[in-house]
Amino acid sequence: MPLFVANWKMYKTFNESIAFVQEHLAELEQLAGTKHSIAIAPSFVCLDRIGQELNKTSIKLCAQDCAPFKSGAYTGEVDAASLAQVGCTYGIVGHSERRHHFNETNDVIAQKAEQLLVNNITPILCIGETAQEFEQGKVFHILEKQLASFENLIGQTSQEYCIAYEPIWAIGSGKVPDSKHLNAVFSWLSDRNNIESCILLYGGSVDADNAKILLQVPHVGGLLIGGASCDFQSLKKIVSLA
Ligand code: PGA
């Protein structure tokens, strides 16, 4: 059952996010049916309210981030226990926008994933190379570095987790890697992970035209969708075509 995660980033206000869910929840639920799993990742401030809307549906709630600490004097941070309390099933960590704009390191990202796991939230670890690293043939070297701390953590649990391969140059650019590259990356990822407990996702410029092809790449178990998930019609097309 492919997993579709709608990452709304900071595209929608609180009112817009609630309106989207209220307007489209019934259709989303129908779309999910028994064949797809759908998760929505709105901003922190929307989680509680949207969690209440999603309660009693099969649509899952996903946080876009979380604090790397359990609790304490960390002004502005949101703890994973609270994310669990408002109904999050998934939590994204290590998105390239957080790595880039907020200087998140691989160790901090692993701490965030650990907080999620402790609270029974499935972490979605994002990894991916820059355009320059891609051109220099450093993809596997970079992914290896991004995975190291997380793999240490995962090695100690049997909990579920997701890894989203999102090449930075593909995010929001309209560019998608060719199938040869995707085949190589996903077979490498699937060799390193226990497929029983890990779902591998692709993210970066997913839209209604490329979703089907992306999902046909061996070992791709779902999609992390940014811009295209903010518009209901395009989200609907992506899920229903797949
Ligand atoms: P995009 O973003 O689909 O807008 O490229 C994906 C992501 O950053 O998760």
Side-chain angles (χ1 to χ4, degrees), residues 5-10 40-47 61-69 74-117 119 121-126 224:
V5 182
N7 175 14
W8 286 351
K9 309 193 181 191
M10 205 178 74
I40 295 178
S43 67
F44 279 137
V45 77
C46 304
L47 287 170
L61 191 64
C62 177
Q64 295 182 12
D65 188 27
C66 82
F69 313 107
Y74 302 107
T75 303
E77 290 292 298
V78 178
D79 62 290
S82 298
L83 297 177
Q85 287 165 12
V86 299
C88 288
T89 300
Y90 297 99
I92 298 171
V93 291
H95 192 283
S96 65
E97 287 149 16
R98 298 221 51 94
R99 292 174 187 267
H100 177 70
H101 297 297
F102 304 97
N103 303 318
E104 290 191 4
T105 64
N106 291 313
D107 287 343
V108 165
I109 292 162
Q111 285 175 42
K112 292 181 174 206
E114 185 175 11
Q115 291 302 321
L116 293 175
L117 288 167
N119 289 282
I121 298 173
T122 301
I124 301 175
L125 172 74
C126 297
L224 181 51

Side-chain angles (χ1 to χ4, degrees), residues 27-214:
E27 219 176 325
L28 269 176
E29 175 74 336
Q30 229 179 350
L31 260 180
T34 50
K35 289 208 209 116
H36 306 111
S37 200
I38 300 176
I40 295 178
S43 67
F44 279 137
V45 77
C46 304
L47 287 170
D48 182 24
R49 185 74 168 69
I50 291 187
Q52 291 173 37
E53 299 283 340
L54 301 186
N55 193 8
K56 301 200 181 91
T57 76
S58 67
I59 312 298
K60 305 282 192 273
L61 191 64
C62 177
Q64 295 182 12
D65 188 27
C66 82
F69 313 107
K70 186 175 172 203
S71 75
Y74 302 107
T75 303
E77 290 292 298
V78 178
D79 62 290
S82 298
L83 297 177
Q85 287 165 12
V86 299
C88 288
T89 300
Y90 297 99
I92 298 171
V93 291
H95 192 283
S96 65
E97 287 149 16
R98 298 221 51 94
R99 292 174 187 267
H100 177 70
H101 297 297
F102 304 97
N103 303 318
E104 290 191 4
T105 64
N106 291 313
D107 287 343
V108 165
I109 292 162
Q111 285 175 42
K112 292 181 174 206
E114 185 175 11
Q115 291 302 321
L116 293 175
L117 288 167
V118 165
N119 289 282
N120 288 317
I121 298 173
T122 301
I124 301 175
L125 172 74
C126 297
I127 56 171
E129 77 287 352
T130 63
Q132 197 187 22
E133 289 157 352
F134 177 78
E135 276 150 26
Q136 292 172 345
K138 292 186 181 159
V139 176
F140 293 101
H141 174 68
I142 294 298
L143 299 187
E144 184 117 36
K145 282 215 300 213
Q146 292 174 337
L147 283 169
S149 311
F150 184 76
E151 282 179 345
N152 276 340
L153 173 73
I154 287 301
Q156 298 156 28
T157 92
S158 54
Q159 283 170 271
E160 270 191 23
Y161 62 99
C162 304
I163 293 176
Y165 173 56
E166 298 204 306
I168 297 170
W169 52 271
I171 296 176
S173 64
K175 292 185 205 153
V176 168
D178 64 26
S179 52
K180 187 168 167 239
H181 177 71
L182 289 174
N183 282 333
V185 170
F186 280 93
S187 78
W188 182 82
L189 282 172
S190 101
D191 285 348
R192 293 176 77 96
N193 288 280
N194 175 1
I195 289 310
E196 297 290 298
S197 50
C198 168
I199 303 177
L200 299 176
L201 307 174
Y202 169 80
S205 292
V206 173
D207 61 24
D209 295 327
N210 59 29
K212 196 167 178 176
I213 295 168
L214 291 167

